[in-house]
């Protein structure tokens, strides 16, 4: 018998994480504490069990893109083609429509088989992201451009909200995304940093101290020798001076110093500047993730 139920206790959330790590082994998964910290109003996490055995999970929540819910039904490889994905999708989409009031829903799909499922349920591709990956070797300690200083958020915790206000809030609109990207300061502080010692900002001091760029690593408690690049951005009026490159090299240097052997990052189609910068820094390509969307309700 198939049971779909909310994931509520810490044990449920550990089961939820097991599915995510099995289905997306190349991706960092938030810890239980991080999941609890970044809960969004209206968010629903589900577990699917077949005869009492964990078979899949799901999540739906308001997306960072205005007016959309994001949705993710995921089924463990050994339990596919038995209707578990369909039941999860219907429960998640029903919640997004009836409880949260959304009329559009989007999902990320990383493989052709899952795209077959998405197409079967009327989702259509609207965007793509590529995953760029870099092996970490011996990394030289980077030089900041003249007049620019790079400091960590562990050294200056007060700079993270300023990085949001002075850099990120404007730069998210340069990301060539399909839709209007909205991140609140609360989400920024909950979701966009998990290691202050591996998160860096670039400062200028003349005439007053100004945050002009940021780059970070999101560390991975399950696979400590890999890390994800967080959001990298430079103020529009400070671009073209080597600041992004110096910030990224700072994170690569930090990674090498802390036993990390692989760093990966996701970049949207159309964000050619960031792709080229990553290529310049020696990143290669791995997974392609399709963003697929459809209208609600699913009947
Ligand atoms: C996509 C996913 C959730 C499907 O789970 P599932 O339990 O196997 O799906 P279902 O058994 O409910 O499939 C329902 C229908 O979808 C279609 N479908 C499912 N998997 C498919 C595949 N590999 N190729 C083509 N069509 C597929 C079929 O029409 C299927 O009906 P059928 O089995 O009677 O032919 C699962 O493959 C998965 O976890 N993928 C990775 C995560 C992901 O990409 N999720 C986002 C999807 S929007």
């Amino acid at each position: 018998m198939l049971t779909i139920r909310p994931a509520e206790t810490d044990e449920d959330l550990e089961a939820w994480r097991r599915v995510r790590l099995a289905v997306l082994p190349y991706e960092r998964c938030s810890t239980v504490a991080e999941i609890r910290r970044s809960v969004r109003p209206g968010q629903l996490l589900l577990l699917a069990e077949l005869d009492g055995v964990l078979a899949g999970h799901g999540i739906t929540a308001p997306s960072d893109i205005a007016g959309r819910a994001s949705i993710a039904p995921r089924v463990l490889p050994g339990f596919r083609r038995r209707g578990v994905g369909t039941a999860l999708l219907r429960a998640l989409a029903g919640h997004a429509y009836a409880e949260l009031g959304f009329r559009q829903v989007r999902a990320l799909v990383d493989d052709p088989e899952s795209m077959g499922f998405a197409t079967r349920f009327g989702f259509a591709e609207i965007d793509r992201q590529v995953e760029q990956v870099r092996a970490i070797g011996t990394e030289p300690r980077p030089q900041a451009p003249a007049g620019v200083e790079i400091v960590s958020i562990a050294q200056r915790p007060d700079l993270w909200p300023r990085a949001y206000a002075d850099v990120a809030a404007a730069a998210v609109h340069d990301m060539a995304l399909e839709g209007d990207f909205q991140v609140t300061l609360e989400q920024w502080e909950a979701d966009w940093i998990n290691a202050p010692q591996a998160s860096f900002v670039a400062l200028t001091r003349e005439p007053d101290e100004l945050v002009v760029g940021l780059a970070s690593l999101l560390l991975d408690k399950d696979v400590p020798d890999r890390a994800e690049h967080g959001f990298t951005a430079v103020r529009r009026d400070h671009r073209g001076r080597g600041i992004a490159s110096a910030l990224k090299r700072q994170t690569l240097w930090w990674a090498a110093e802390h036993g990390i052997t692989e760093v990966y990052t996701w970049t949207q189609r159309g964000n050619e500047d960031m792709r080229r910068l990553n290529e310049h820094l020696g990143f290669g390509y791995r997974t392609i993730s399709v963003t697929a969307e459809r209208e609600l309700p699913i009947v």
Side-chain angles (χ1 to χ4, degrees), residues 100-182:
L100 307 183
F102 284 102
R103 295 295 173 267
Q104 265 171 323
V105 70
R106 58 173 57 180
L108 296 175
V109 188
D110 292 5
D111 62 276
E113 292 76 22
S114 301
M115 200 60 211
F117 172 88
T119 307
R120 149 80 182 77
F121 284 99
F123 285 82
E125 175 175 343
I126 55 150
D127 201 1
R128 276 175 184 232
Q129 301 180 67
V130 291
E131 187 192 29
Q132 293 178 280
V133 187
R134 165 78 145 68
I136 302 297
T138 308
E139 307 292 337
R141 188 164 198 156
Q143 287 283 317
V148 175
E149 190 184 334
I150 294 180
V151 297
S152 79
I153 297 300
Q155 293 168 293
R156 290 284 309 273
D158 58 303
L159 294 182
W160 194 244
R162 281 177 52 196
Y164 170 82
D166 294 347
V167 184
V172 290
H173 299 293
D174 300 337
M175 278 168 65
L177 280 164
E178 293 295 322
D180 187 13
F181 196 67
Q182 293 183 335

Side-chain angles (χ1 to χ4, degrees), residues 234-256:
V234 173
R235 268 177 76 106
R236 282 183 203 160
D237 54 6
H238 281 69
R239 291 183 190 167
R241 302 186 199 176
I243 296 175
S245 170
L247 278 162
K248 280 226 158 186
R249 286 192 196 282
Q250 179 77 21
T251 63
L252 298 176
W253 173 79
W254 191 95

